[in-house]
Amino acid sequence: MASSDHGSTTAPKDVPGSYGLPLVGAVRDRLDFYYFQGQDKYFESRVERYGSTVVRMNVPPGPFMARDPRVVAVLDAKSFPVLFDMDKVEKKDLFTGTYMPSTSLTGGYRVCSYLDPSTHTKVKQLLFSLLLSRKDDVIPTFRSNFSSLLATVEAELAKGGKAEFNKLNDVTSFDFIGEAYFGVRPSATELGKGGPSKAAKWLIWQLHPLVTLGLPMVLEEPLLHTFHLPPFLVKGDYRALYKYFSTVAKQALDTAEGLGLSREEACHNLLFATTFNSYGGLKVLFPGLLANVASGGEKLHERLVAEIRGAVADAGGKVTLAAVERMELAKSVVWESLRLDPPVKFQYGHAKKDLLVESHDAVFQVRKGEMLFGYQPCATKDPRVFGDTAGDFVPDRFLGEEGSKLLQYVYWSNGRETDNPSVDNKQCPGKNFVVLVGRLLLVELFLRYDTFTAEVGKELLGTSVIFTGVTKATSGPGS
Ligand code: HEM
């Protein structure tokens, strides 16, 4: 790593930056963030202005939803991991940042993501147990759901020359996760085909302060960024989702009781982990991954085809976990996509005590109670770690011994890729599942196709992908 460590021997500095005038400063910054500068520029310009990657600023939404929009932003690979240190930061109530959605959106409970590790042990353990109990179902369930997605892509391409991946992914990922975790596809229950749209509406009720729909500022500001949308308007949707979980999750709810949780609290947690954490994550992850792989073009596709079909052929034509583990390039591609476009970009933590935060260049004094905030793309595209290609998609980045040394700087799961989630930290319990399903998407694609083309754009929570062509496999187990 090309960083200098001399920061640790220099005297602590005050964190530079500015919050502007009370109220006015925060509103002005919010407008910069959404409309005048955009996310990346908002952070980069403040790093530039103050000559520091640890810098004071306001973060959205600000008034009137957040009591205090002021943060100390940590914007390089070296300072960011302070957010993973549970001795240094408190994580209660700040999953979505400086505001917290009403707990009436989660049945009156504060679910796992909003709890500090000091109080989340039972619910996090429940999720580890659930994932472990279903581990053998993930590959077959993924394959059946996503092979039918790709069949639809082919039909739509034949009909109109285009197939919108995001729409198909929303429907498929929702069914896939339900089936993978609980053995029952939501669309096969009373919920019918309405699950993904009910889930999306409920997600918007929690995330609207942080998004822009591309509407005029005069509409979005009062509608999305100033007041909470009333929870009662999404109550019916939530009730329908809850019914699905309380019906299909009997085994997980028994486990929960064994852990000392009430069935009701456990069920709201299962709903949240499945619908917000998992489904919300895959809504963003898969289009981002596909866009990056599309940009790699035929050369990359050829190499993925060779690796994936070779490993599957060696496993007797079966997609087994062991075969997937042998796909080094596919794994590197998934990590690289998670590095370049981390699906969850903001992380927060309140300083538990007065502490020192170290950037590449200096050491800063942070006071007890101050909010630390990380904008992940700044840290995971840090040129002092990833060099001149930090902003590029480099499929081979994590291959070999040298490549694997860089994994400690991949932070998408709210922890280093070399660390593991546990009940003692706030690292994502879905970490291994996510890297597995990312690879499974590549497996499904390149068993079936030699190459594909796509148009890539932006949408509400990330990237949009439209397939424009696929070339069916000409050899190997997928042909
Ligand atoms: C926490 C990312 C999928 C369950 C987190 C956090 C991040 C994250 C960044 C930490 C948030 C914070 O405290 O600041 C992602 C991404 C995913 C994904 C990008 C997919 C692409 C999943 C899946 C599960 C899951 C599949 C299924 C169990 C959770 C839970 C937490 C969490 C329960 C709270 C952890 C705790 O309280 O310690 N995730 N996640 N996530 N994630 Fe994931």
Side-chain angles (χ1 to χ4, degrees):
M1 175 177 154
S3 82
S4 71
D5 277 330
H6 66 264
S8 53
T9 57
T10 56
K13 291 183 179 174
D14 287 335
V15 180
S18 160
Y19 301 122
L21 291 172
L23 210 73
V24 182
V27 173
R28 164 78 223 191
D29 284 349
R30 180 166 80 210
L31 300 182
D32 270 352
F33 182 89
Y34 289 119
Y35 308 104
F36 303 139
Q37 292 188 302
Q39 261 180 49
D40 286 351
K41 197 91 211 296
Y42 182 83
F43 298 110
E44 287 159 13
S45 66
R46 281 155 180 80
V47 166
E48 224 166 86
R49 191 182 315 158
Y50 296 102
S52 172
T53 48
V54 176
V55 54
R56 291 180 186 281
M57 62 177 72
N58 296 305
V59 289
F64 295 100
M65 271 183 280
R67 255 188 310 162
D68 190 350
R70 296 172 302 171
V71 300
V72 170
V74 286
L75 300 173
D76 67 18
K78 191 161 179 183
S79 55
F80 195 97
V82 65
L83 289 162
F84 309 150
D85 188 336
M86 294 302 115
D87 292 332
K88 292 186 174 162
V89 297
E90 232 273 354
K91 293 286 288 182
K92 185 173 175 235
D93 288 356
L94 37 73
F95 177 59
T96 45
T98 53
Y99 74 98
M100 180 174 164
S102 165
T103 50
S104 54
L105 290 166
T106 46
Y109 289 95
R110 188 175 264 103
V111 289
C112 188
S113 292
Y114 291 98
L115 298 176
D116 188 67
S118 49
T119 54
H120 79 178
T121 304
K122 288 178 186 168
V123 269
K124 195 158 183 182
Q125 188 56 55
L126 170 64
L127 298 170
F128 285 132
S129 306
L130 172 72
L131 291 171
L132 185 66
S133 71
R134 302 292 302 170
K135 73 177 189 337
D136 295 338
D137 297 272
V138 176
I139 293 180
T141 310
F142 186 94
R143 297 209 67 199
S144 61
N145 281 285
F146 280 82
S147 65
S148 109
L149 177 148
L150 292 177
T152 311
V153 165
E154 287 158 30
E156 291 191 3
L157 282 172
K159 217 161 68 186
K162 283 180 180 211
E164 287 183 42
F165 175 72
N166 296 58
K167 269 193 193 156
L168 299 173
N169 179 46
D170 284 356
V171 174
T172 307
S173 281
F174 196 75
D175 260 353
F176 157 61
I177 297 170
E179 190 177 358
Y181 293 177
F182 307 109
V184 183
R185 301 174 91 192
S187 65
T189 68
E190 215 180 289
L191 204 47
K193 295 206 179 308
S197 55
K198 286 182 169 49
K201 183 173 162 197
W202 174 71
L203 286 173
I204 284 288
W205 252 247
Q206 295 162 83
L207 291 171
H208 67 88
L210 295 176
V211 299
T212 158
L213 300 174
L215 300 171
M217 188 166 82
V218 286
L219 282 180
E220 284 197 346
E221 278 302 287
L223 213 63
L224 298 180
H225 302 151
T226 311
F227 304 104
H228 288 288
L229 293 173
F232 78 87
L233 290 177
V234 74
K235 220 175 171 142
D237 304 274
Y238 189 77
R239 206 179 296 124
L241 292 168
Y242 186 88
K243 191 156 182 217
Y244 164 75
F245 286 92
S246 61
T247 313
V248 300
K250 293 223 155 51
Q251 207 177 323
L253 294 174
D254 290 346
T255 307
E257 271 191 327
L259 289 165
L261 282 166
S262 78
R263 291 182 93 80
E264 193 180 303
E265 178 171 7
C267 195
H268 288 290
N269 268 286
L270 291 174
L271 191 163
F272 194 90
T274 308
T275 312
F276 191 125
N277 299 120
S278 308
Y279 174 62
L282 298 193
K283 254 172 110 58
V284 184
L285 173 78
F286 285 158
L289 174 61
L290 212 51
N292 283 319
V293 173
S295 78
E298 273 186 57
K299 281 228 166 73
L300 173 63
H301 301 173
E302 253 170 46
R303 293 176 59 211
L304 284 166
V305 161
E307 177 181 88
I308 288 166
R309 290 185 203 166
V312 172
D314 288 351
K318 290 210 173 76
V319 179
T320 60
L321 193 56
V324 176
E325 287 302 342
R326 290 183 45 215
M327 301 171 187
E328 301 282 336
L329 177 62
K331 200 167 193 181
S332 176
V333 163
V334 172
W335 278 326
E336 177 65 346
S337 195
L338 284 162
R339 177 194 75 83
L340 199 59
D341 298 315
V344 178
K345 295 186 169 36
F346 309 142
Q347 267 89 53
Y348 309 80
H350 276 124
K352 273 186 172 167
K353 52 190 174 192
D354 288 355
L355 51 92
L356 298 178
V357 175
E358 197 170 339
S359 75
H360 289 305
D361 306 306
V363 181
F364 297 95
Q365 180 73 60
V366 171
R367 298 283 169 210
K368 180 177 175 180
E370 289 198 293
M371 178 75 111
L372 287 158
F373 159 83
Y375 181 58
Q376 216 186 107
C378 284
T380 57
K381 290 194 274 187
D382 184 340
R384 312 252 306 248
V385 171
F386 294 103
D388 294 344
T389 60
D392 304 334
F393 175 68
V394 179
D396 298 25
R397 182 159 333 251
F398 299 104
L399 289 181
E401 208 181 310
E402 280 309 298
S404 67
K405 284 187 194 151
L406 290 171
L407 278 175
Q408 59 181 307
Y409 303 107
V410 175
Y411 300 154
W412 71 269
S413 64
N414 193 41
R416 295 182 188 275
E417 195 61 22
T418 43
D419 287 343
N420 289 312
S422 79
V423 293
D424 299 321
N425 62 30
K426 285 296 281 181
Q427 191 163 13
C428 176
K431 176 178 172 249
N432 291 339
F433 175 89
V434 169
V435 179
L436 173 62
V437 296
R439 283 174 289 166
L440 290 176
L441 181 64
L442 302 183
V443 169
E444 219 44 50
L445 266 178
F446 292 109
L447 283 180
R448 204 169 172 114
Y449 307 129
D450 284 347
T451 186
F452 71 95
T453 52
E455 279 169 13
V456 171
K458 289 256 154 263
E459 66 126 55
L460 186 62
L461 294 173
T463 310
S464 75
V465 175
I466 299 174
F467 278 101
T468 52
V470 297
T471 306
K472 289 276 194 73
T474 49
S475 69
S479 55

